[in-house]
Amino acid sequence: MLAYAIRRLGQSLFVLLLMSALVFIGVYAIGDPVELLVNPMADEAERLRAAAALGLDRPLLEQYWSFLQGAASGDLGKSFVFNVPALSLILSKLPATMELAFVAMVIAIAIGIPLGLVAGLKPDSFIGRTIMAGSILGFSLPTFWVGLVLVMIFSVHLGWLPSNGRGATVLVAGIPVSFLTADGLAHLAMPAFNLALFKLSLLVRLTRAGAREAVLQDYVKFARAKGLTQSRVIGVHVLKNILIPIVTVIGLELGSVIAFAIVTESIFAWPGTGKLLIDSINQLDRPVIVAYLLVIVTLFIVINFVVDVLYSLLDPRVRLGGASAAH
Amino acid sequence: MADAEGTGTAAAAATGGAAAIGPWARFRAEFAESRLAMVGLALLAAIVVLGLLAPVISPQNPYDLAQLDVMDSKLAPGEESATGKTYWLGTDDQGRDMLSGILYGLRISLGVGITSTVFALAIGLFFGLLAAYFGGWTDTLVMRVVDIQLSFPAILIALVLLAVLGQGVGKIVVALVTVQWAYYARTVRSAALVERQKEYVEAARVLALGRARIVFRHLLPNCLPPLIVVATVQVAHAIALEATLSFLGLGLPITEPSLGLLISNGFQYLLSGKYWISFYPGIALLLTIMSINLVADQLRDVLNPRLRR
């Protein structure tokens, strides 16, 4: 286990280094930030001064090297636009994104797994078919368009929910959260549901497939033969066994929820990291783009690692680090 | 879904007519068993035809600025303009007829989706077969790259690529291919690893056939069924992803609006109640993606040997 963790860590550092180089070189190719930052009336000398102040006059390799040196001590450069450290800018926006992602995941789990169970236990019934048709619809609806339709219905037509922003927040352990205030909840409802919809459909399908297979297994027949109640057979025997793949997918999808929050945040003007990324791309704020990507890559590496470990704990048949890991 | 009844009878007819036992006939009959899938297929066929015929059937050429009348901008669906023209799906802020915009947009969305899928399929196929056939370090290298890439969400990779590359049809195809090839490589490899062990490959080797011949004439055709399923799903993904990227302003330029860009364009007018600029392109996008998904779902069932009845 320890050897596995160390090897994984080494691999992760390599991936991180590789990504940082790719991202740095890639982002370097986007436009010229001096054009945007300096007054268009400025003369050549002033442009050069601005470029020198941002460190843009040095060779690319030298810039990358000083970036790496800074990164090792937690300094990912300063935002060209806001003139504050890029990392702290991102960390200040991260709680909003995390809250949105977690609430979306909770919605997806709370609705998706029960619906999937029903559809899996009664696959040919009207309700089972309806749930499956609904999940195909959920898969097919483009996330951003659903967001627009939600705004159209609940903000423009009914006027029930606000269409943008985060609403009132309260500090919990120094971190601002929205879900504890009524105003915050009203702001959170639409973006969270919007983000949840795709994962909800995924969980319905996954749970349904698992339940359909599980009810045919001998252990379920045996549990029934013992005279256990239906709710115990389903709630304990079936659910416990189909939960393993579901937990894995939930863990892996958490990363993709954070990535897809870019879209949802743009629609609902949710002040998170995704909106920051899009704004930074439009403003050519290179340090913020690079820092965002490195933070996200690190986050994904951590999530993937935790999921792998959780998987081995949930399912004793899985051995980490052995020959079987080379799938 | 008003045409459900019509295609339902067509489905029944197809099932009845498939008494001859060829692989194609059996495939057709099994596919037609799901009425929903037949509805999806009919819808998809209609959408493709509409997209292909867009220049012929559109009331107006939405790219030709000379045909646009700013006086007609932001008209509601069905409203008659001052010059007596009726725009059935309304107009956008530049006076562009939404119906024409959607038909042309469908053309671009489908074109981008299919082109990127074909290229990604070819590249993924090549590397997947390479990895499976040679094994060893070739396999390790290819699959490591695939694993690393698949551990990041497609939208993130595409977003970064487009931020670097800039806008344009060619660039978005490059981004979509880069994102997608890994799915095919993985699918082909796992299928090929299973097929490689089978006796017909051994027989081909005994006959001293060339490597290329074994790989492409024997191994490849038998790896196709799972690939077809993945490719169908991926066309839908590619179209959705292109629309999303265009919506974020990173996909196609405004001169060639795809469905995503039309929706994005209408977003700013949504809050003032002018819903149609975003709503109808969204419906077109939804129907396109849904019809592909319906077909893909049934293909998966029909082509899955584990569900073979």
Side-chain angles (χ1 to χ4, degrees):
Chain A
M1 186 67 199
L2 188 68
Y4 172 77
I6 291 171
R7 214 179 57 205
R8 259 311 269 274
L9 191 71
Q11 268 179 20
S12 303
L13 283 177
F14 176 72
V15 170
L16 204 56
L17 197 69
L18 192 75
M19 291 302 274
S20 76
L22 285 178
V23 164
F24 197 86
I25 295 166
V27 169
Y28 191 83
I30 319 176
D32 184 1
V34 176
E35 295 283 334
L36 284 157
L37 294 169
V38 175
N39 182 347
M41 307 295 281
D43 61 356
E44 192 59 23
E46 202 167 325
R47 288 166 170 281
L48 288 176
R49 216 166 26 243
L54 297 171
L56 294 169
D57 56 338
R58 292 180 295 161
L60 180 58
L61 210 63
E62 207 180 302
Q63 285 188 46
Y64 179 58
W65 178 242
S66 65
F67 168 78
L68 274 188
Q69 281 179 324
S73 58
D75 172 16
L76 295 177
K78 264 187 177 175
S79 160
F80 292 163
V81 177
F82 299 101
N83 204 27
V84 294
L87 188 62
S88 56
L89 187 63
I90 284 160
L91 293 182
S92 72
K93 304 264 184 189
L94 202 56
T97 300
M98 288 310 235
E99 180 177 21
L100 186 61
F102 274 114
V103 174
M105 218 58 200
V106 169
I107 293 175
I109 293 167
I111 302 178
I113 293 184
L115 283 185
L117 264 182
V118 172
L121 296 173
K122 296 185 168 34
D124 293 319
S125 67
F126 172 74
I127 184 148
R129 284 175 189 277
T130 311
I131 292 171
M132 277 318 278
S135 94
I136 289 191
L137 195 66
F139 258 142
S140 305
L141 287 165
T143 307
F144 65 98
W145 188 68
V146 177
L148 296 189
V149 173
L150 287 176
V151 169
M152 195 174 97
I153 296 173
F154 291 103
S155 299
V156 180
H157 269 281
L158 299 172
W160 288 354
L161 294 169
S163 66
N164 63 66
R166 211 184 158 186
T169 56
V170 286
L171 287 179
V172 174
I175 297 166
V177 292
S178 297
F179 74 96
L180 291 176
T181 65
D183 184 44
L185 267 183
H187 281 83
L188 189 58
M190 278 200 294
F193 179 74
N194 183 212
L195 194 54
L197 192 62
F198 193 84
K199 301 302 162 196
L200 200 160
S201 310
L202 185 72
L203 281 178
V204 165
R205 294 170 79 94
L206 210 67
T207 314
R208 173 179 178 268
R212 278 189 79 175
E213 276 179 25
V215 289
L216 299 174
Q217 301 287 317
D218 287 339
Y219 66 82
V220 173
K221 287 182 195 154
F222 183 69
R224 288 232 169 87
K226 277 202 303 188
L228 297 181
T229 59
Q230 175 78 354
S231 61
R232 188 166 169 82
V233 173
I234 303 299
V236 176
H237 296 258
V238 171
L239 198 58
K240 212 171 157 185
N241 277 282
I242 62 176
L243 224 47
I244 296 167
I246 293 175
V247 168
T248 320
V249 170
I250 289 174
L252 293 177
E253 292 297 323
L254 192 60
S256 109
V257 167
I258 292 169
F260 264 95
I262 297 170
V263 181
T264 303
E265 285 176 12
S266 298
I267 297 168
F268 295 96
W270 185 263
T273 51
K275 192 170 178 305
L276 179 68
L277 175 71
I278 296 294
D279 292 345
S280 302
I281 289 177
N282 288 330
Q283 293 165 326
L284 301 181
D285 198 347
R286 288 178 189 162
V288 180
I289 303 174
V290 173
Y292 171 88
L293 290 169
L294 289 186
V295 168
I296 287 290
V297 169
T298 313
L299 208 59
F300 281 2
I301 289 173
V302 171
I303 290 174
N304 285 349
F305 179 69
V306 171
V307 169
D308 276 359
V309 171
L310 267 186
Y311 199 35
S312 76
L313 293 178
L314 270 176
D315 189 348
R317 284 168 299 184
V318 175
R319 291 271 170 273
L320 292 178
S324 62
H327 57 266
Chain B
M1 299 290 138
D3 57 347
E5 295 310 313
T7 35
T9 43
T15 325
I21 313 157
W24 271 107
R26 197 179 65 189
F27 172 74
R28 276 210 304 272
E30 284 184 3
F31 187 87
E33 272 176 22
S34 163
R35 216 162 59 172
L36 209 55
M38 291 307 284
V39 174
L41 193 64
L43 195 61
L44 185 59
I47 288 170
V48 170
V49 169
L50 283 178
L52 284 176
L53 294 182
V56 185
I57 54 177
S58 292
Q60 146 195 112
N61 180 355
Y63 302 157
D64 184 4
L65 293 176
Q67 291 189 28
L68 306 183
D69 191 346
V70 190
M71 294 298 285
D72 290 354
S73 74
K74 290 177 272 183
L75 289 178
E79 202 175 314
E80 203 171 299
S81 74
T83 49
K85 273 188 274 185
T86 310
Y87 298 101
W88 292 110
L89 295 183
T91 58
D92 70 2
D93 53 333
Q94 294 174 42
R96 187 183 283 136
D97 172 38
M98 287 316 293
L99 179 63
S100 311
I102 289 170
L103 290 172
Y104 273 80
L106 267 180
R107 201 177 153 82
I108 292 182
S109 292
L110 284 170
V112 167
I114 293 169
T115 313
S116 63
T117 301
V118 168
F119 279 108
L121 182 66
I123 295 171
L125 201 66
F126 176 76
F127 282 106
L129 281 176
L130 205 71
Y133 193 80
F134 289 104
W137 65 266
T138 320
D139 188 25
T140 313
L141 185 70
V142 172
M143 292 326 286
R144 213 16 76 79
V145 175
V146 167
D147 280 344
I148 291 177
Q149 201 191 315
L150 290 184
S151 67
F152 298 104
I155 185 162
L156 196 65
I157 299 177
L159 205 69
V160 174
L161 271 174
L162 283 174
V164 173
L165 294 173
Q167 291 186 328
V169 177
K171 285 161 184 168
I172 198 156
V173 170
V174 169
L176 291 175
V177 170
T178 313
V179 166
Q180 289 186 311
W181 76 277
Y183 294 96
Y184 300 106
R186 195 171 61 174
T187 312
V188 171
R189 174 182 171 270
S190 59
L193 279 182
V194 175
E195 293 297 326
R196 202 177 62 150
Q197 311 292 332
K198 294 197 174 160
E199 277 149 1
Y200 70 88
V201 176
E202 206 173 319
R205 281 215 191 93
V206 171
L207 287 171
L209 298 180
R211 266 187 181 168
R213 194 184 155 95
I214 295 178
V215 171
F216 290 106
R217 298 281 301 164
H218 295 257
L219 214 48
L220 178 58
N222 286 292
C223 299
L224 281 181
L227 259 188
I228 293 169
V229 176
V230 174
T232 326
V233 177
Q234 287 297 324
V235 173
H237 275 183
I239 290 174
L241 194 57
E242 178 273 316
T244 307
L245 292 164
S246 295
F247 175 76
L248 291 172
L250 291 164
L252 294 169
I254 190 77
T255 46
E256 293 160 273
S258 69
L259 294 175
L261 207 60
L262 290 175
I263 297 170
S264 165
N265 191 27
F267 182 32
Q268 48 185 319
Y269 303 104
L270 192 71
L271 291 176
S272 52
K274 295 183 174 52
Y275 67 92
W276 59 89
I277 309 177
S278 280
F279 189 74
Y280 291 120
I283 293 282
L285 186 61
L286 167 66
L287 289 178
T288 309
I289 297 173
M290 196 168 69
S291 61
I292 298 175
N293 280 345
L294 286 173
V295 171
D297 253 25
Q298 183 65 3
L299 275 181
R300 191 195 332 260
D301 284 355
V302 173
L303 294 176
N304 185 350
R306 274 187 295 180
L307 293 176
R308 174 77 55 226
R309 285 141 291 186

